[in-house]
Amino acid sequence: HVQLVESGGGPVQAGGSLTLSCVVSGSPTYCMGWFRQAPGKEREGVAVIDTDGSTSYEDYVKGRFIISKDRAKNTLYLQMRDLEPEDTAMYYCAADVEGLFVGAGFFSAPVAQWGRRSVRWGQGTQVTVS
């Protein structure tokens, strides 16, 4: 049983930086990623890291956000800089527990019915940029 617990969100001024953390416990995981959801909008992908350490980013965060993981601490990170008001959202950590997704394919996790059984979500941490 995998549990994901995010932390690190909060208010930040435009142009500022923030680092989110996600502690993972339970079964081993495969792809992991960060997603976000703004009020009234669909959940969208932000960044993904695969088991080999390769990373993928959506265009709207490329060059500003960095995803990484510390295996020893079982923790996933999202370093965010040059934050914009448009980055305001609830940020969610997600993990593929059956290895159904590969790399950037994990961005489809919010809508992929075929992969739903394999995806675990955290409760989210709010990021507000003003």
Side-chain angles (χ1 to χ4, degrees):
H1 179 63
V2 175
Q3 279 194 312
L4 309 171
V5 179
E6 303 97 332
S7 63
V12 62
Q13 290 190 336
S17 301
L18 212 55
T19 296
L20 307 182
S21 300
C22 173
V23 178
V24 185
S25 60
S27 304
T29 60
Y30 297 87
C31 273
M32 293 197 68
W34 288 96
F35 296 77
R36 68 187 186 185
Q37 187 167 16
K41 294 189 176 182
E42 298 292 321
R43 191 170 297 189
E44 62 183 12
V46 173
V48 165
I49 187 165
D50 212 333
T51 51
D52 63 356
S54 59
T55 57
S56 302
Y57 298 91
E58 291 288 15
D59 286 346
Y60 36 81
V61 303
K62 201 171 291 185
R64 299 189 297 125
F65 291 12
I66 298 175
I67 186 172
S68 62
K69 61 183 177 181
D70 185 328
R71 293 181 186 277
K73 296 182 179 180
N74 291 324
T75 302
L76 182 73
Y77 300 99
L78 184 68
Q79 297 172 266
M80 306 184 292
R81 64 177 178 83
D82 297 329
L83 284 161
E84 305 166 351
E86 293 74 20
D87 295 316
T88 294
M90 184 73 79
Y91 282 71
Y92 297 91
C93 171
D96 173 12
V97 300
E98 295 189 15
L100 299 185
F101 295 86
V102 178
F106 198 45
F107 285 133
S108 69
V111 298
Q113 297 291 329
W114 56 269
R116 175 172 289 186
R117 73 173 195 271
S118 184
V119 183
R120 301 293 181 270
W121 298 92
Q123 293 301 305
T125 184
Q126 178 68 38
V127 172
T128 303
V129 185
S130 61

